[in-house]
């Protein structure tokens, strides 16, 4: 009887270990698939997206969304700027639209763009008697299959004014969540 119980206990321990191994392997496969196909982490580097994103913040980028639709104005995207460097910027103008930057104003198709995400920073600069943006950009039409992007920190950003339009195939995805530091945990609007 005692030997039979040991065999059953030995069998149940082996079975339990095997079940844990299978569960961990399935979890690892899911993490890898989700990481490669759906979402990817991104670390913000540099001041180009301040006051909304800061160096060292970690974001979750939705890689799948642009397989189903084109980027929209105001969305924050991550894209391949070079072979080994990704940038984070905000979509300002879409294919076929005319865009120009004059001081703190951005015009799309001749209409002043409302930019609530930098409104406070622009107002603070005006109170100091300065412009928030000191880099203008002449009116240009956005090419088909591309978007025009700007950093939120307009005077300190390498963006479409410098590197040109961003082709859809260079876009990694849309920044959806700030997940680190925890004090900044939030959905990105």
């Amino acid at each position: 009887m005692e030997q039979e119980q040991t065999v059953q206990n030995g069998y149940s321990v082996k079975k339990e270990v095997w079940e844990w191994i299978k569960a961990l392997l399935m979890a690892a496969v899911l993490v890898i698939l989700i990481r490669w196909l759906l979402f990817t982490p991104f670390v913000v580097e540099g001041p180009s997206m301040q006051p909304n994103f800061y160096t060292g913040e970690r974001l979750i980028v939705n890689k799948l969304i642009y397989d189903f639709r084109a980027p929209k104005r105001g969305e924050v995207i991550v894209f391949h700027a070079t072979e080994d460097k990704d940038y984070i910027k905000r979509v300002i103008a879409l294919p076929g639209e005319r865009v120009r930057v004059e001081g703190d104003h951005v015009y799309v198709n001749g209409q002043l763009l409302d930019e609530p995400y930098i409104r406070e920073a622009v107002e603070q600069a005006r109170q100091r008697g300065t412009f928030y943006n000191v880099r203008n950009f002449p009116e240009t039409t956005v090419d088909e299959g591309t978007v025009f992007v700007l950093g939120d920190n307009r005077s300190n950003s390498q963006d479409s004014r410098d590197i040109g339009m961003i082709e859809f195939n260079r876009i990694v995805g849309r920044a959806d969540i700030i997940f680190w530091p925890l004090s900044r945990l939030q959905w990105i609007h």
Side-chain angles (χ1 to χ4, degrees), residues 102-105 121-122 125-126 128-135 155:
E102 291 178 5
D104 291 335
H105 301 293
V122 170
R126 286 187 184 152
R128 292 189 306 270
T130 63
F131 285 103
Y132 182 66
N133 174 47
V134 295
R135 297 181 55 220
S155 292

Side-chain angles (χ1 to χ4, degrees), residues 19-36:
E19 291 300 318
W20 273 101
I21 290 171
K22 287 192 313 188
L24 291 172
L25 287 173
M26 287 191 318
V29 167
L30 284 173
V31 165
I32 290 168
L33 286 175
I34 289 170
R35 165 77 167 81
W36 281 347

Side-chain angles (χ1 to χ4, degrees), residues 45-160:
E45 293 178 20
S48 74
M49 287 300 286
Q50 291 176 1
N52 296 302
F53 302 91
Y54 295 90
T55 296
E57 286 183 339
R58 284 158 172 68
L59 314 175
I60 293 178
V61 176
N62 180 336
K63 294 170 64 172
L64 194 60
I65 191 164
Y66 298 134
D67 288 339
F68 297 100
R69 68 165 179 81
K72 295 180 180 178
R73 184 181 348 280
E75 291 181 330
V76 176
I77 64 170
V78 172
F79 61 92
H80 300 302
T82 66
E83 276 188 37
D84 57 342
K85 188 77 171 164
D86 291 343
Y87 283 0
I88 179 172
K89 304 292 175 199
R90 191 174 301 273
V91 175
I92 299 298
L94 305 169
E97 294 182 330
R98 292 174 289 114
V99 61
R100 81 176 187 272
V101 180
E102 291 178 5
D104 291 335
H105 301 293
V106 175
Y107 297 89
V108 176
N109 294 329
Q111 299 291 319
L112 179 62
L113 184 62
D114 181 31
E115 298 186 279
Y117 38 85
I118 60 168
R119 186 174 294 132
E120 188 176 324
V122 170
E123 288 172 10
Q124 288 173 355
R126 286 187 184 152
Q127 289 172 357
R128 292 189 306 270
T130 63
F131 285 103
Y132 182 66
N133 174 47
V134 295
R135 297 181 55 220
N136 294 333
F137 186 77
E139 185 166 273
T140 303
T141 300
V142 179
D143 297 330
E144 287 303 316
T146 70
V147 290
F148 180 89
V149 298
L150 292 173
D152 289 351
N153 188 354
R154 300 289 160 77
S155 292
N156 193 6
S157 175
Q158 190 172 20
D159 47 40
S160 286

